[in-house]
């Protein structure tokens, strides 16, 4: 339970975030301000925001739990699972989206393929984000329940209230600037826990020695590359094909909440730099979220649920004051993830669904209001769906499972759409529908197809591959687009040598 | 096939080399990008070596490679 000073720190943090977020309300005068921050933000703020919104409650609780069970190989998600994809995004995809003046990824797909592809992609992301919100809320409840003894529903509603208020009024500028503060707090709190935990276990070498002698199940705990026949969800084949080639790229290039941040940059250099700066910061994340899980193997061996590793470490290692800071850090991660999802989903709904299908040609203030109302509705959906994630054994795996349905096929059509001008609207549409259907099929019958515990990496690879093949075959069988239709939508080497000309 | 059984003969050391080679290849591709493209968005008189995004990328990739080399 928290001491008096911890409560003070946590409450000061929450109130501070609320006031800071509400301060940015005055910068929101139109829908571009609300969804793209008036295209005025610097690379460092966007880079921090990308990182902190990516490591919310899921990583603090879920990755620590995975590290407790499977060791250091879970760090692949923030290392090889981020850096190469972020560089590809920075140098190829982000400049395209930025120069095209786009708001959403489905907007690009709509221009490149057709309205149906845009709508399917957008609806898919909206559904995913809504479920994601529920998982985030549940993750917060798990920690709060162990740490403070708060009832599940009270913690969920409190989180939703604070984040919803500043996201509703301040839009993406409030989201990104509160993320900057949340990033700093998360790093201070996270490193405090890591240093004190290291002291508790007698240093890194001592921890490695102790864990290595705990039994055969810990034999590969310090191998970042796991053998192909491992029973853990992270064989190197899955990391290379599923994570590096598909999921990482799909996440960094095709994920609205990530790309939308880069589109708020004040110019193209800042847009590119934000991704590269973010990739540098990303490499520190495993230290914050993975190391406490490893150290918990020594301090709290034999936990039935790995997701309890981090809460147990906080409870047993940190003194009063730092518990409050760590809790604020956790809350920072959670809030930054939730506010990103809220704003991105509101953007997707307003730009890809409401504007083309429900009310075309309304004035800008109307769309601003729609974005704000959507934010509120999403908040309610997230709260209502949060108990779903309690049915999954690992919170982090739960979210990866959701993502593996969609990421592969969406990345296949994005990749072919930008690099192969022969790709047609029917190719893209069939790849999307068949690819998502195949991913769901593989997931439902995973025991028949896969030997590893949670094959989400393999599912994303195979659904990507099928989507890719279907797209190529159907495109070759259908009428190709004209040069005029493809103008500015397909990669040409001259983007690299003739600036601003797509 | 779905489990990549056909790669079961590849050792962990070889797999690690595959990852390290990939980082080297990405680094090479980044170096091949035209400098003008890297600086797009910054006025010519404000361009300095510390704005060079190639340099940023190479540093990030080097750190990443050293992590994989160590573990």
């Amino acid at each position: 339970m928290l001491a008096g000073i911890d409560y003070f720190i946590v409450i000061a943090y929450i109130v501070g975030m609320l006031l800071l977020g509400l301060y940015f309300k005055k910068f929101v005068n139109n829908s571009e301000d609300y969804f793209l921050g008036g295209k005025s933000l610097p690379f460092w703020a966007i880079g921090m925001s990308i990182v902190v919104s990516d490591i919310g409650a899921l990583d603090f609780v879920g990755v620590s739990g995975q590290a407790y069970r499977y060791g250091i190989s879970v760090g692949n998600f923030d290392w090889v699972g981020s850096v190469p994809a972020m560089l590809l995004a920075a140098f190829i995809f982000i400049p395209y989206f930025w120069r095209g003046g786009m708001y959403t990824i489905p907007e690009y797909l709509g221009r490149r393929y057709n309205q149906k592809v845009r709508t399917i992609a957008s609806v898919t992301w909206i559904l995913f984000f809504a479920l994601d919100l529920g998982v985030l809320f549940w993750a917060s409840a798990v920690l709060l329940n162990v740490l403070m003894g708060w009832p599940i529903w009270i913690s969920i509603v409190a989180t939703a209230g604070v984040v919803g208020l500043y996201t509703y009024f301040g839009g993406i500028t409030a989201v990104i600037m509160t993320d900057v503060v949340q990033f700093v707090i998360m790093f201070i709190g996270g490193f405090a826990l890591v240093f004190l935990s290291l002291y508790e276990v007698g240093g890194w070498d001592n921890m490695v020695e102790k864990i290595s002698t705990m039994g055969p199940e810990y034999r590969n705990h310090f191998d970042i590359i796991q053998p192909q026949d491992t029973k853990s969800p992270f064989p190197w084949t899955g990391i290379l094909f599923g994570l590096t080639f598909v999921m990482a790229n799909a996440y960094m290039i095709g994920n609205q909440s990530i790309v939308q941040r880069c589109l708020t940059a004040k110019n193209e250099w800042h847009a590119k730099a934000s991704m590269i700066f973010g990739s540098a910061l990303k490499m520190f994340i495993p230290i914050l979220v993975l190391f406490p899980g490893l150290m918990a193997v020594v301090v709290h061996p034999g936990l039935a649920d790995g997701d309890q590793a981090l809460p147990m470490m906080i409870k047993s290692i940190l003194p009063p004051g730092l518990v409050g800071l760590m809790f604020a850090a956790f809350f920072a991660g959670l809030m930054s993830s939730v506010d990103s999802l809220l704003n991105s989903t509101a953007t997707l709904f307003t730009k890809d669904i409401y504007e083309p299908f429900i009310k075309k040609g309304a004035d800008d203030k109307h769309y601003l209001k729609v974005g704000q109302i959507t934010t509120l509705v999403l908040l309610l959906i997230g709260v209502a769906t949060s108990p779903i994630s309690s049915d999954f054994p690992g919170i982090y795996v739960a979210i990866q499972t959701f993502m593996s349905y969609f990421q592969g096929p969406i990345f296949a059509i994005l990749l072919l759409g930008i690099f192969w001008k022969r790709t047609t609207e029917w190719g893209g549409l069939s790849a999307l529908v068949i690819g998502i259907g195949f991913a769901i099929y593989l997931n439902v019958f995973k025991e028949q197809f896969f030997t590893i515990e949670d094959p989400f990496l393999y599912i994303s690879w195979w659904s990507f591959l099928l989507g890719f093949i279907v797209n190529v075959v159907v495109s070759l069988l259908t009428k190709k687009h004209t040069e005029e239709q493809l103008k500015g939508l397909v990669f040409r080497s001259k983007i690299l040598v003739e600036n601003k000309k797509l | 096939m779905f489990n990549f059984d056909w790669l079961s003969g590849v050792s962990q050391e070889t797999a690690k080399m595959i990852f390290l080679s990939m980082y080297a290849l990405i680094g090479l591709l980044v170096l091949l990008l035209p400098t003008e493209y890297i600086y797009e968005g910054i006025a010519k008189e404000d361009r300095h070596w510390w704005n060079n995004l190639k340099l940023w990328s190479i540093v990030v990739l080097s750190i990443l490679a050293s992590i994989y080399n160590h573990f």
Side-chain angles (χ1 to χ4, degrees), chain B residues 48-63:
Chain B
H48 306 285
W49 65 268
W50 61 82
N51 301 127
N52 189 338
L53 297 178
K54 283 188 198 181
L55 206 63
W56 293 26
S57 306
I58 296 301
V59 170
V60 170
L61 283 167
S62 302
I63 297 170

Side-chain angles (χ1 to χ4, degrees), chain A residues 112-385:
Chain A
R112 178 62 184 85
Y113 293 102
N114 60 27
Q115 193 63 33
K116 292 188 194 76
V117 174
R118 177 183 184 177
T119 307
I120 291 174
S122 193
V123 168
T124 302
W125 274 115
I126 290 169
L127 286 173
F128 166 67
F129 283 159
L131 286 171
D132 206 357
L133 271 175
V135 175
L136 288 173
F137 285 137
W138 192 261
S140 76
V142 168
L143 191 84
L144 287 168
N145 190 254
V146 172
L147 199 65
M148 300 170 72
W150 284 11
I152 297 274
W153 280 105
I154 288 182
S155 62
I156 290 174
V157 171
T159 310
V162 173
V163 180
L165 209 55
Y166 74 71
T167 309
Y168 176 88
F169 287 111
I172 197 158
T173 308
V175 168
I176 290 177
M177 298 318 283
T178 51
D179 280 356
V180 170
V181 180
Q182 288 160 359
F183 176 92
V184 173
I185 289 172
M186 190 188 294
F187 265 56
I188 294 172
F191 273 111
L193 178 64
V194 169
F195 285 128
L196 289 172
S197 302
L198 262 180
Y199 179 76
E200 179 73 17
V201 298
W204 177 263
D205 291 340
N206 199 37
M207 178 189 71
V208 173
E209 195 184 319
K210 279 182 181 167
I211 293 177
S212 302
T213 55
M214 288 175 84
E217 66 268 36
Y218 295 98
R219 195 183 54 199
N220 292 322
H221 244 55
F222 292 95
D223 290 338
I224 194 159
I225 304 292
Q226 296 285 309
Q228 180 272 336
D229 58 355
T230 179
K231 292 293 174 199
S232 84
F234 316 120
W236 74 267
T237 42
I239 294 296
L240 184 67
F241 290 98
L243 178 65
T244 311
F245 292 161
V246 180
M247 291 190 80
N249 289 309
Y251 190 75
M252 292 300 169
I253 295 162
N255 186 323
Q256 177 66 21
S257 72
I258 298 292
V259 173
Q260 191 180 344
R261 282 166 162 63
C262 298
L263 301 179
T264 66
K266 60 170 86 170
N267 63 38
E268 188 179 316
W269 184 87
H270 279 269
K272 290 175 188 158
S274 65
M275 266 287 181
I276 303 171
F277 182 60
S279 74
L281 298 174
K282 261 279 205 178
M283 285 191 295
F284 292 96
I285 300 307
I287 299 172
L288 301 183
V289 297
L290 185 156
F291 284 16
L294 280 177
M295 295 174 211
V297 176
V298 176
V299 181
H300 299 288
L303 288 177
D305 180 6
D307 287 346
Q308 296 294 322
L310 182 75
M312 294 297 284
M313 288 298 280
I314 293 172
K315 218 172 182 177
S316 61
I317 300 277
L318 293 182
L322 282 180
V323 173
L325 190 66
M326 186 61 214
F327 177 69
F330 165 78
F331 211 65
L334 178 81
M335 287 167 80
S336 64
S337 302
V338 172
D339 61 23
S340 308
L341 292 182
L342 285 174
N343 188 264
S344 295
T345 316
T347 310
L348 286 168
F349 177 78
T350 309
K351 288 288 170 186
D352 296 327
I353 307 293
Y354 188 85
E355 198 172 325
F357 293 114
I358 299 172
K359 192 162 184 175
K360 269 184 193 163
D363 65 78
D364 191 69
K365 292 277 179 205
H366 178 79
Y367 294 125
L368 172 62
K369 186 52 74 183
V370 171
Q372 290 178 316
I373 291 169
T374 308
T375 303
L376 283 184
V377 173
L378 283 164
L379 208 60
L380 295 175
I381 293 172
V383 169
T385 57

Side-chain angles (χ1 to χ4, degrees), chain A residues 417-493:
Chain A
I418 210 160
F419 282 113
W420 193 41
K421 65 179 182 180
R422 186 64 184 81
T423 314
T424 67
E425 56 185 308
W426 289 109
L429 186 61
S430 43
L432 197 58
V433 174
I434 294 172
I436 291 175
F438 186 58
I440 293 171
Y441 172 77
L442 285 179
N443 198 61
V444 170
F445 298 101
K446 60 187 173 192
E447 283 81 12
Q448 294 175 26
F449 294 113
F450 302 104
T451 51
I452 59 174
E453 214 173 287
D454 292 298
F456 61 92
L457 293 174
Y458 285 162
I459 290 174
S460 68
W461 165 257
W462 293 117
S463 59
F464 162 79
L465 192 65
L466 184 68
F468 193 94
I469 293 168
V470 167
N471 199 345
V472 170
V473 172
V474 175
S475 292
L476 289 173
L477 295 173
T478 48
K479 191 183 166 194
K480 65 179 178 183
H481 293 278
T482 63
E483 287 293 327
E484 191 56 34
Q485 286 174 311
L486 297 176
K487 199 175 176 186
L489 297 171
V490 178
F491 183 83
R492 288 177 173 86
S493 58

Side-chain angles (χ1 to χ4, degrees), chain A residues 43 72 75-76 79-80 83-84 87 90-92 95 99 204 220 222-228 236-237 239-241 244-245 267-269 272-273 276-277 279-280 283 438 442 449-452 458 461-462 495-497 499-500, chain B residues 1-16 18-19 22-23 26-27 30 32-42 47 50-54 56-61 63-65 67-71:
Chain A
F43 79 90
I72 205 165
N76 279 304
W79 289 325
V80 72
V83 175
L87 295 185
F91 290 123
I92 302 293
R99 290 179 189 190
W204 177 263
N220 292 322
F222 292 95
D223 290 338
I224 194 159
I225 304 292
Q226 296 285 309
Q228 180 272 336
W236 74 267
T237 42
I239 294 296
L240 184 67
F241 290 98
T244 311
F245 292 161
N267 63 38
E268 188 179 316
W269 184 87
K272 290 175 188 158
I276 303 171
F277 182 60
S279 74
M283 285 191 295
F438 186 58
L442 285 179
F449 294 113
F450 302 104
T451 51
I452 59 174
Y458 285 162
W461 165 257
W462 293 117
I495 187 183
L496 302 177
V497 290
N499 288 311
K500 300 207 169 175
Chain B
M1 186 188 81
F2 283 125
N3 294 289
F4 290 89
D5 305 325
W6 45 283
L7 287 173
S8 59
V10 177
S11 67
Q12 279 171 273
E13 287 70 31
T14 309
K16 187 179 275 193
I18 293 171
F19 281 87
M22 185 175 67
Y23 302 148
I26 295 168
V30 168
L32 289 174
L33 290 168
T35 306
E36 185 70 18
Y37 179 66
I38 294 296
Y39 283 117
E40 179 60 34
I42 301 183
R47 295 179 182 182
W50 61 82
N51 301 127
N52 189 338
L53 297 178
K54 283 188 198 181
W56 293 26
S57 306
I58 296 301
V59 170
V60 170
L61 283 167
I63 297 170
L64 185 66
I67 291 168
Y68 277 74
N69 190 43
H70 182 75
F71 290 108

